[in-house]
Amino acid sequence: MLSDQDMIRMIMEGDRHAAILLIQSTEKLVAHIVFKLITEPSARKDLTQDIYLKTFRYLPKFRFQCKLSTWVGQISYTTCIDHLRRRKELVTLAPGNEATDEDIPWQEINPETLDVSQRLSRKERAEILEKLTLTLPPVYRTLITLFHKEELSIDEIMDITGLPVGTVKSYLFRARKMLKERLLNYYSKEDL
């Protein structure tokens, strides 16, 4: 595996294979960000192309202050947020009342503990959870995906989103809480 420095040097020298490696190594992260923030399929494709155009255009300005993949994630997140703002689709999330570390119980939503989940297969639960995740506001959807599916640390998410640590933790807490409520509502409707 190439180091970030070697990959950038090779891309700058015109090595197409290195450019392809960069795309392949970041496409999952980019897809998670784009697909969670943007719901319109044609916009997703256009934004993904725009993200990689920006990545290659600004590659000479990369200063190695974070991992290359994190930097591509920053470009992805910023590009999508700008798109949502232009279309006036970005819901402002209550700033200024972020929870502190002590306020946030870091518990995972565990569908296994719900009585009705015993009747569902693991795959069905995952599909239900994914479906309900899509109902969350775009920023919450993205943070949940980056933290739980991409398994990025809070610091990496902060680097990508530019949000302060308290905001990231608060939004994750709120997203989990909303998701838990929606899961409970979903399961109670299934019982009827």
Side-chain angles (χ1 to χ4, degrees):
M1 179 110 190
L2 292 174
S3 69
D4 287 350
Q5 290 88 351
D6 290 337
M7 186 178 297
I8 291 172
R9 179 184 48 76
M10 291 170 71
I11 292 170
M12 299 303 295
E13 292 172 356
D15 187 328
R16 289 179 186 235
H17 180 69
I20 291 169
L21 284 176
L22 174 61
I23 292 170
Q24 289 174 339
S25 67
T26 58
E27 66 187 346
K28 184 178 174 190
L29 174 63
V30 170
H32 277 304
I33 293 170
V34 171
F35 276 68
K36 295 304 174 190
L37 283 169
I38 308 299
T39 56
E40 184 183 341
S42 63
R44 288 174 174 167
K45 183 178 178 183
D46 292 343
L47 286 169
T48 300
Q49 290 174 349
D50 191 33
I51 288 163
Y52 282 110
L53 286 173
K54 287 178 181 179
T55 297
F56 290 113
R57 181 181 320 134
Y58 296 113
L59 202 56
K61 296 182 181 187
F62 181 66
R63 300 290 174 236
F64 301 98
Q65 295 174 340
C66 61
K67 293 190 303 188
L68 183 57
S69 61
T70 301
W71 184 70
V72 174
Q74 289 172 343
I75 292 171
S76 304
Y77 183 80
T78 304
T79 301
C80 291
I81 292 295
D82 288 347
H83 172 79
L84 291 172
R85 282 189 180 124
R86 279 191 306 274
R87 296 183 52 113
K88 301 192 186 327
E89 294 177 21
L90 186 63
V91 177
T92 304
L93 304 171
N97 59 347
E98 289 79 22
T100 64
D101 289 349
E102 296 80 34
D103 297 331
I104 300 172
W106 291 100
Q107 302 167 354
E108 298 299 317
I109 296 171
N110 186 358
E112 300 284 340
T113 62
L114 300 171
D115 295 338
V116 293
S117 70
Q118 295 170 359
R119 293 181 277 145
L120 300 173
S121 72
R122 183 178 209 107
K123 182 179 177 186
E124 288 170 326
R125 285 192 308 270
E127 288 171 359
I128 292 166
L129 189 59
E130 181 65 26
K131 183 173 104 175
L132 293 174
T133 300
L134 293 174
T135 67
L136 296 173
V139 174
Y140 287 178
R141 259 193 328 256
T142 304
L143 294 179
I144 285 283
T145 300
L146 292 176
F147 190 76
H148 292 287
K149 285 191 176 180
E150 282 293 310
E151 298 180 356
L152 297 180
S153 69
I154 297 292
D155 289 338
E156 290 171 314
I157 294 171
M158 287 172 36
D159 288 342
I160 288 171
T161 63
L163 296 171
V165 66
T167 303
V168 171
K169 289 179 179 180
S170 178
Y171 286 2
L172 279 170
F173 171 74
R174 291 178 194 165
R176 288 184 190 117
K177 184 177 177 183
M178 288 173 76
L179 200 52
K180 182 177 180 179
E181 290 168 1
R182 290 172 187 191
L183 277 168
L184 291 172
N185 283 338
Y186 179 87
Y187 284 124
S188 66
K189 288 179 185 175
E190 287 290 309
D191 286 340
L192 297 177

